[in-house]
Amino acid sequence: MGPLRWLPLLCQLLLLRPLAAHSAGPIQAFVVPHSHMDVGWVYTVQESMRAYAANVYTTVVEELIRRHHRRFIAVEQEFFRLWWDGVASEKQKHQVRQLLDEGRLEFVLGGQVMHDEAVTHLDDQILQLTEGHGFLYETFGIRPQFSWHVDPFGASATTPTLFALAGFNAHLISRIDYNLKDAMQEAQGLQFVWRGSPSLLEQQEIFTHTMDHYSYCTPSHISFSNRSGFYWNGVAVFPEPPPDGVYPNMSEPVTPTNIHLYAEALVANVKQRAAWFRTPHVLWPWGCDKQFFNASVQFDNMDPLLEYINNRTTQYGVSVRYATLRDYFQALHAFNMTWATHDHRDFLPYSSEPQQAWTGFYTSRSTLKGLARQASSMLYAGESMFTRYMWPEPHGTVDPTWALQQLQQLRWAVSEVQHHDAITGTESPKVSNMYMEHLRMGILGVRKLMASIALDRPPVSDTDKGPVGYFASVYNPLAWKITTIVTLTVTFPNVSVTDELGHPVSAQIQNSTKDPSAYDLLILATIPGLSYRHYKVRRTRGDQADTREHAAPMASTLKYSLKLRNQTSQGGRFLVPVTNDCYTLLFNQETNMLHSIQERQSNHTVLMTQEFLEYHANGDVKQGPISDNYLFAPNDTAKPAWEAVGMEMVVGQLATDIRQYFYRNITDQDYIYAIHSRLAHVHPSPSGELLCQRIEQQYHVGPLELNREAILRTSSDLNSQKILYSDNNGYQMQQRPYKAFKSNPIARNYYPMVQSAFIEDDKSRLVLLAERAHGVSSQESGQVEVMLHRRLWNNLAWNLNYNLTLNDTSVVHSELWLLLGSKPIATALRPRSGVALQHRPVVLFRELTDEEAPNHRPKNPQAVALPPNLHLQILSIPGWNYSGNHAQQLKNLRRGPQKKPQVNLQRVLLRLHHLYEAGEDPTLSQPATVDLKVALQGLGSIVAVEERSLTGTWDKQMLRRWHWRTKTGQLRGHPTSLPESPRDAIITVYPKEIRTFFIYFQQ
């Protein structure tokens, strides 16, 4: 985190500092009891429930009821819901409702998990928040208004924008770069108003509190205690609590003889912290990981300590009280100070110490990262397909209750894996296996649902050998018309493909890269928004001379001999071109490497090559810094990981595939790396533009040798001056100038790429789009490297004890799309192409039987089409049964617990996302106006439209967030989108806006 980047904010803070004089009264310490409950990390969710999590809620509720002045904040809904549904008695449920009504128990954040901020996608962050908020509102009528993001490894600028959209009044973060935090503490700058989006600016600003260097745990060293002090219940024991109730490392109880020592320690810490803030209010978090499983011990020791200090407020100059987060932020807001502002830049990467750059987790457990995004895409497609099935009327035999169960299972699995020790890859192997099992089960259920809708019968597996052929339904989950190439794996080379009308379809057959005994069938498909195309794939006899069948042509394969890495080249005299209407790729047959790419519209050629390299990691803590699940600490620059490369080209009418195979040693039988590049031969029509303009690349990486971190390096002659751009959560781009750090410069110049990254000069922009998160860096001008895989082992005792050594022996199959063009072309293509990669068509197919009616034409719903700058972020039937009217919802809840009502199948959740920044593109950055009655007419006649907060729990017209005073006066940004009246279905979405609606159709 370079100091220059933060100079403007620090200058603001220093200018404001004279206003920071504390009032004459005592310092007010807000003691906030909490338990940090990781939804999986070292132990599985079920192990955590047995060992401590259930006891947290059981004992905390009991202790809050016992003493009215006690408080507690609860954060992650996954654990609370498991307790609520499977452990809590009716008496305890009544007590929870009472505590919430009285403000003594507060839900903060309120998502299923505390999501990671670096490697999670925007859509999945919203999903997991929505799942948690929906449960809380449906069950209690409450809506969290404060965040508690204390443990994610760095802070993204997307998060404050989303939390503002969700109705939060203040945002709390903790883990930011160590030297930046020190500077902010000295400047009393840990609190500011964050304007996370450069397009939304003040429209979605949020007050942000950064925890000081003690972070979210009670201070860890108390000299007179055998533990850490203030953790009187000790340490949780896995897998079961100790039968005698005696936990290890219990702190020394508070007694008349030591209470003054505890008091002096707490007061000294409060005063130290007070010096870092501009008001006399100090947030003093009391708790840590896996705390408060025996809340009686905790409160029985803290109660007399707080009373002791408050009886001596004049002597100590400090008053203390139990508090929720609302109590603290209300006091701060009432102080009515003028705050510094921070712009849209993020707090990434995060370093905790000079040699500890937390940039390895951007890539750790790449297979899990890929599966998490696949599951998210499957859920996205399943939600809209089921909604289209239900409206205007169900046209099949699918049971809606069963369907919602399948969707709910995957919603929870996708939500769970967004946890900051899940998709990050920083968990133990058994916990990683738990996440993957939940994701796979969820994907399987939703795939069954989609097959039941699209095929009206169960699907077949990819390897099922049907005697006649297959019937395939291809569903486009995007609200745009697309043209793409769909790939099926078939077991026979002679096939004909026809559409719903029996017309021949452009297709191509070639040897499969996955299964030597199978074939890849490429089908050119043009599909309207939220619609299907249906195809019959029939085995032909091979001799087509006397038949009317149109056999898919077989692609021809050209093989090139193996070439050594240090092979000399004749300066590009032997170049093999691969061309479509948008690009010409030139490969050097003397080296089997990419030589250059010509962007045909501008006729500009960029020299470019790609290769695999490896960073060598140290595994011995005695020898220096180590890499692990979290940290990236390379010994030196990356080294080439291959000695020889082979190449083959598969040339067909639809596409040409270039397959490069990299061998660690020339004598090896098996390659360790591969690049499969595809260039589609389609004309750039309006729907085919995205297909023509991309170079699709799939990679094979591994298995790696131990303590290796593998990268794909793309080197070009672009004069990018080592400036990289990478995204925050697929939402907005951040400029990443190379910073010459004295320590660990390679790792500290790595950034997360969730969906896209690019480098550019004054002529061209090279864009990389990803279907999973990676670490990305530009260590030299014209160069971008993507970390694809890591395999690590070290002897750090902490890692060994918790099995966090990342000895990942898997083979990773990831994918990138490359776009090259002038800045205007690349700017227009990047957001739409990123969405197209994330949400590719879903292929569902079954066996074709001889006796099947030849003119089988499944019902195809009317297309949904949005403007090209507007993305349908979700179209779903969430099933919530809460009232959209808050007063009515509270009235319903006051009647007491009812028999569980039927799910609400009438309410449709619609969320729209403008993909472009203000001023980014002359056309696509314009506001998008949509008549929902027209766009959604295929679902029926709209009778009501309600605009809601991001997670659906607030009526947008009723939402009034707190205003925090800043030095800037006039509000900037585009006009605020006014909440729509229920009868008005014409809406306008401004650049980068995300707008959420409940839609009701005529039944």
Side-chain angles (χ1 to χ4, degrees), residues 310-362:
N310 285 332
N311 287 337
R312 293 160 180 78
T313 292
T314 304
Q315 172 188 340
Y316 287 137
V318 171
S319 68
V320 289
R321 54 173 286 198
Y322 291 127
T324 64
L325 211 50
R326 173 181 289 275
D327 295 330
Y328 172 71
F329 280 124
Q330 273 184 329
L332 208 61
H333 186 251
F335 210 70
N336 199 26
M337 289 201 59
T338 299
W339 300 98
T341 57
H342 176 49
D343 64 15
H344 65 276
R345 286 171 289 184
D346 61 15
F347 294 87
L348 291 164
Y350 165 58
S351 291
S352 52
E353 294 179 27
Q355 295 296 332
Q356 295 193 350
W358 294 46
T359 58
F361 79 89
Y362 300 159

Side-chain angles (χ1 to χ4, degrees), residues 744-758:
N744 213 9
I746 294 174
R748 294 181 78 179
N749 278 289
Y750 254 80
Y751 297 92
M753 173 176 68
V754 174
Q755 187 166 290
S756 59
F758 65 82

Side-chain angles (χ1 to χ4, degrees), residues 547-560:
T547 73
R548 299 173 68 180
E549 291 181 303
H550 294 264
M554 174 69 77
S556 59
T557 301
L558 306 172
K559 296 201 174 187
Y560 297 83

Side-chain angles (χ1 to χ4, degrees), residues 480-762:
W480 309 314
K481 187 178 185 179
I482 63 164
T483 295
T484 192
I485 292 175
V486 175
T487 303
L488 307 179
T489 301
V490 297
T491 55
F492 34 82
N494 301 312
V495 299
S496 68
V497 185
T498 54
D499 64 14
E500 307 93 330
L501 301 175
H503 296 153
V505 175
S506 295
Q508 172 180 321
I509 194 95
Q510 60 195 45
N511 291 328
S512 172
T513 56
K514 298 176 182 175
D515 182 354
S517 65
Y519 300 88
D520 287 341
L521 174 63
L522 282 55
I523 301 173
L524 184 64
T526 297
I527 317 173
L530 268 57
S531 300
Y532 310 90
R533 291 300 304 276
H534 305 285
Y535 303 100
K536 284 184 180 177
V537 180
R538 285 188 172 273
R539 185 199 295 262
T540 63
R541 291 187 292 275
D543 177 12
Q544 301 303 307
D546 299 322
T547 73
R548 299 173 68 180
E549 291 181 303
H550 294 264
M554 174 69 77
S556 59
T557 301
L558 306 172
K559 296 201 174 187
Y560 297 83
S561 59
L562 212 60
K563 300 296 192 303
L564 290 169
R565 179 168 57 82
N566 54 7
Q567 191 98 17
T568 56
S569 172
Q570 299 290 317
R573 285 175 53 194
F574 300 95
L575 300 180
V576 182
V578 180
T579 299
N580 71 359
D581 284 358
C582 299
Y583 298 118
T584 296
L585 277 58
L586 292 166
F587 288 84
N588 189 338
Q589 60 179 313
E590 295 177 287
T591 62
N592 288 342
M593 301 290 279
L594 177 65
H595 173 271
S596 56
I597 301 177
Q598 179 192 41
E599 197 271 304
R600 298 189 67 187
Q601 182 170 332
S602 65
N603 199 31
H604 181 62
T605 298
V606 175
L607 297 178
M608 194 179 303
T609 189
Q610 294 181 299
E611 64 171 333
F612 295 99
L613 300 95
E614 292 174 350
Y615 286 104
H616 292 205
N618 167 40
D620 186 350
V621 293
K622 296 180 180 177
Q623 303 299 316
I626 52 95
S627 286
D628 63 10
N629 291 36
Y630 306 86
L631 308 179
F632 174 37
N635 279 344
D636 203 348
T637 55
K639 304 291 190 297
W642 56 282
E643 190 177 84
V645 59
M647 181 172 69
E648 62 184 23
M649 291 190 179
V650 181
V651 183
Q653 294 179 2
L654 279 189
T656 294
D657 288 359
I658 305 99
R659 303 170 181 173
Q660 296 163 282
Y661 303 99
F662 295 79
Y663 296 84
R664 192 176 294 283
N665 300 295
I666 194 168
T667 56
D668 288 351
Q669 295 295 308
D670 298 319
Y671 55 87
I672 197 79
Y673 295 102
I675 305 176
H676 294 166
S677 304
R678 173 172 291 174
L679 196 66
H681 304 307
V682 294
H683 299 297
S685 62
S687 65
E689 174 194 29
L690 300 184
L691 179 58
C692 180
Q693 293 271 11
R694 68 188 183 231
I695 302 161
E696 300 181 8
Q697 293 194 324
Q698 294 181 339
Y699 310 103
H700 168 111
V701 182
L704 301 181
E705 295 180 350
L706 201 57
N707 287 331
R708 297 288 186 268
E709 301 175 82
I711 64 166
L712 172 78
R713 179 177 289 168
T714 302
S715 303
S716 74
D717 62 353
L718 294 178
N719 182 24
S720 65
Q721 301 180 53
K722 297 204 284 191
I723 297 175
L724 172 74
Y725 294 80
S726 77
D727 68 321
N728 277 162
N729 315 106
Y731 180 64
Q732 61 193 26
M733 302 302 293
Q734 298 278 349
Q735 187 188 60
R736 315 290 195 184
Y738 184 87
K739 302 186 188 72
F741 294 106
K742 291 181 180 178
S743 64
N744 213 9
I746 294 174
R748 294 181 78 179
N749 278 289
Y750 254 80
Y751 297 92
M753 173 176 68
V754 174
Q755 187 166 290
S756 59
F758 65 82
I759 57 173
E760 65 182 10
D761 61 14
D762 57 353

Side-chain angles (χ1 to χ4, degrees), residues 952-964:
T953 55
W954 288 89
D955 180 334
K956 191 75 178 292
Q957 293 178 310
M958 299 292 106
L959 180 56
R960 300 289 183 270
R961 294 174 57 239
W962 295 356
H963 174 71
W964 299 79

Side-chain angles (χ1 to χ4, degrees), residues 383 386-387 390-391 404 411 876-879 904-905 907-908:
E383 296 277 17
F386 176 62
T387 304
M390 293 296 296
W391 293 100
L404 273 181
R411 288 172 191 165
S876 166
I877 297 176
N904 183 344
L905 296 170
R907 175 186 288 152
V908 172

